[in-house]
Amino acid sequence: MAEGWDKARDIARRVGRGAAQAGRASWRAGRATATGTWRAGRATASGTKRAGLATARGAHKVGQATRRLTHANGAGRTGLGRLIELAIGNSAADAMVTVALASTVFFGVPVGEARGSVALYLVITMIPFALVAPFVGPILDKFRSGRRYVMAGTLFGRGLLCFAMAAAVGPGDLPTLFAGALGVLVLSKAFNVSRAAIMPSVLPADITLVSANARVALFSLVTAGVAVPVAAGLTAWLGSAAMLRIAMVAFLLIGVFAVRLPRHVDSPELEEEPPSGGRAERWRSLLNVGPAVTEAMLANVGGRLFSGFLLFFMLFLVQDLGAPWLADKNTFFDVPRTIGVLALAAGLGGLIGAAVANWARNHSPQLIVLLTLGLTTATAVATAIFFNLWTVVAVALVTAFSQELGKLALDAIVQREIGEEVRSSTFGVVEALLQLAWVFGGLVGLVLSLTGNGPPGFITLSVVLFAWLIWLLIRRRKRIKAVNAQVREQQDKPTPEPGPEQAWAQEELPAPDQVDRTKPLTNPYG
């Protein structure tokens, strides 16, 4: 019995010793694991810190390089550089809103339903832009002394609309989303009108209007090209509502930056004598803005009409598999890749157009707008004859190029020809007319896409563009002939003999009533 107890104690002692050894081993393993985890966490934190510092240094260097580019050629002294930076922020925030709404309003519904929704959206879009000309432009002219605050107000307003749209994304409140999108669009156009109207007041002596507009457009397009993929990734990760809230914060911060623009962008209040007729006289001046502005505006209308047609016609034609290269299921260019290639071509065309506008600063903007319309017409005719993927890519690139270059030339003509008292109103008329042309072209593209065939649509628009170009050329030729005839008539008129008072004025002699009669008279002609 005693031996049994001894064996039991010996077994218990061995078990206890083993448990203690296992505990010590577990403690050592835990300690090693904790040490390894702490070291790994420390290494991860150190790596994250280094990555963050590297990103911050890269962003700082990019910001410095951007500041050097935006403030070059005296743009930093006059305020043009800060206006370009404001346009960069505005472009990035607009890109965020566009990407956030793309998955909710348009791409989130089937193709058949999307066609009806987009048609409704285009029709509704015409209503607020019909109000831009009679209301927004005159309001901006009325507050010429506070244009900084007007621009800031358009940014703050878009921030509030983004907040409302973010709340409407969850329940799928489409009326709120449509109304918010329209409000953002109108305020964006009002911002562009204000920015274009103050351009002459910040123009350096070494930069022309076309070059300044091109510089703003180039930086805005590059910013949008960078912001769109970043916003798309954030939208896929966080959702459309979060992206709209990020855009809201961006708009509010940019609005604060707009208030801090140089004070000389605001025109001083001038005492203006209202002409007889008041408002009617003002609208008569807006409807008769001169032959140069009218010709440039009509040429841009043709290009904008074709741009709206091309976007919606090709988008729905590709999604309906109406393009011939989509008939083969083994083709590399399927629907997503085709849309991506066309979008890339359009973006590249806009960048080239802005760069060429900067290069063509010494050339006549009147000729530029006609040449861009002629180039678009020729490319549309070629696409109608040889309808394939590469001609469609070419027409997308050329259309974006012509639209960007023609619009920059039009802005320069308006800034040069129109006085400051009605410049914002004129830009409002121009923006409204171009937007209405784009909407009408989009509706035509939606209707013609129902045919499911590409060449008929391009043939129709090619005929329209060709007729529009010929009419503008005939109109220009008549105007030039009338001007030449008027010049010849003025040259053929006999020059009247100068009278005594005119002779004294030409010889810089005193008038009769200014002669000192206390001195002896002398013959001024010897």
Side-chain angles (χ1 to χ4, degrees):
M1 187 70 179
E3 293 179 359
W5 283 108
D6 290 339
K7 290 181 180 180
R9 281 195 298 271
D10 186 51
I11 292 173
R13 192 181 300 112
R14 292 177 181 176
V15 171
R17 192 181 297 115
Q21 291 176 354
R24 284 194 294 272
S26 300
W27 179 79
R28 293 192 188 99
R31 182 180 179 183
T33 303
T35 303
T37 303
W38 179 76
R39 290 175 179 172
R42 184 178 179 182
T44 302
S46 178
T48 304
K49 182 180 179 180
R50 292 195 189 103
L53 291 176
T55 303
R57 284 194 295 269
H60 181 65
K61 291 180 180 179
V62 171
Q64 286 182 334
T66 304
R67 173 60 64 90
R68 285 194 296 269
L69 291 174
T70 57
H71 287 227
N73 302 113
R77 297 190 304 270
T78 61
L80 177 61
R82 299 183 68 175
L83 185 64
I84 294 174
E85 292 170 353
L86 181 64
I88 289 174
N90 176 74
S91 178
D94 276 342
M96 295 178 192
V97 176
T98 301
V99 172
L101 292 178
S103 60
T104 58
V105 177
F106 186 73
F107 292 104
V109 295
V111 176
E113 298 179 13
R115 185 179 275 108
S117 299
V118 171
L120 178 62
Y121 174 76
L122 288 174
V123 172
I124 297 176
T125 302
M126 298 177 69
I127 299 174
F129 274 96
L131 303 177
V132 169
F135 293 106
V136 175
I139 288 174
L140 296 179
D141 281 331
K142 186 71 174 177
F143 295 97
R144 295 200 305 271
S145 61
R147 281 174 175 158
R148 293 177 297 159
Y149 302 102
V150 171
M151 296 174 71
T154 63
L155 293 164
F156 291 148
R158 278 181 280 175
L160 296 178
L161 288 174
C162 287
F163 179 78
M165 288 188 293
V169 168
D173 188 2
L174 285 181
T176 301
L177 288 174
F178 274 122
L182 291 175
V184 168
L185 193 58
V186 172
L187 290 177
S188 178
K189 292 296 182 182
F191 174 88
N192 291 332
V193 168
S194 299
R195 177 189 57 75
I198 69 174
M199 183 66 73
S201 62
V202 297
L203 187 68
D206 298 334
I207 302 178
T208 63
L209 284 170
V210 177
S211 297
N213 292 327
R215 187 176 295 188
V216 173
L218 188 60
F219 278 102
S220 299
L221 289 172
V222 171
T223 302
V226 174
V228 165
V230 174
L234 290 176
T235 303
W237 179 31
L238 302 175
S240 298
M243 193 69 250
L244 288 171
R245 292 188 179 94
I246 294 173
M248 175 195 70
V249 175
F251 276 124
L252 295 179
L253 293 177
I254 301 167
V256 175
F257 185 79
V259 177
R260 297 177 60 84
L261 284 173
R263 291 185 177 180
H264 64 264
V265 303
D266 297 331
S267 301
E269 289 287 353
L270 301 176
E271 293 293 334
E272 298 179 359
E273 289 292 334
S276 60
R279 185 180 299 271
E281 186 71 23
R282 179 186 182 89
W283 280 108
R284 191 177 301 116
S285 63
L286 284 178
L287 296 176
N288 186 18
V289 292
V293 176
T294 303
E295 182 179 276
M297 188 164 52
L298 292 176
N300 275 268
V301 164
R304 198 61 66 94
L305 175 74
F306 185 73
S307 174
F309 159 79
L310 182 65
L311 172 63
F312 292 99
F313 179 75
M314 286 308 305
L315 186 60
F316 285 103
L317 187 69
V318 169
Q319 289 187 343
D320 289 337
L321 303 179
W325 60 87
L326 297 175
D328 186 7
K329 295 183 179 180
N330 297 324
T331 183
F332 175 78
F333 290 101
D334 54 1
V335 172
R337 289 190 178 97
T338 299
I339 295 177
V341 169
L342 294 178
L344 181 62
L348 183 61
L351 288 175
I352 297 174
V356 171
N358 189 30
W359 170 78
R361 56 186 178 272
N362 295 325
H363 297 274
S364 173
Q366 287 91 348
L367 294 178
I368 288 176
V369 292
L370 292 175
L371 289 175
T372 54
L373 180 59
L375 182 61
T376 302
T377 303
T379 313
V381 172
T383 307
I385 298 173
F386 309 102
F387 183 74
N388 54 48
L389 175 63
W390 303 116
T391 55
V392 171
V393 170
V395 78
L397 189 146
V398 170
T399 301
F401 165 80
S402 301
Q403 177 179 313
E404 188 68 28
L405 181 58
K407 181 59 170 61
L408 293 175
L410 171 60
D411 289 346
I413 293 172
V414 173
Q415 291 161 352
R416 184 189 65 190
E417 300 287 336
I418 303 300
E420 190 176 7
E421 64 278 1
V422 291
R423 187 179 296 151
S424 295
S425 299
T426 306
F427 271 115
V429 172
V430 169
E431 291 290 343
L433 186 60
L434 295 183
Q435 183 67 24
L436 293 177
W438 185 82
V439 168
F440 183 73
L443 291 174
V444 173
L446 285 176
V447 173
L448 293 179
S449 67
L450 294 173
T451 62
N453 195 2
F458 279 98
I459 290 173
T460 303
L461 265 294
S462 298
V463 172
V464 173
L465 285 181
F466 185 76
W468 191 261
L469 178 61
I470 295 299
W471 176 69
L472 285 178
L473 292 176
I474 294 174
R475 190 174 181 271
R476 178 182 176 84
R477 181 175 178 81
K478 288 182 178 180
R479 180 170 61 85
I480 293 175
K481 290 178 66 176
V483 171
N484 292 335
Q486 186 177 4
V487 171
R488 286 195 299 270
E489 182 180 354
Q490 292 291 334
Q491 292 175 350
D492 293 339
K493 283 184 178 180
T495 304
E497 292 294 331
E501 294 183 359
Q502 293 175 345
W504 285 323
Q506 292 175 1
E507 296 291 336
E508 298 182 356
L509 297 175
D513 57 348
Q514 296 177 352
V515 175
D516 188 358
R517 300 184 183 276
T518 62
K519 296 182 180 179
L521 295 176
T522 58
N523 185 1
Y525 300 103

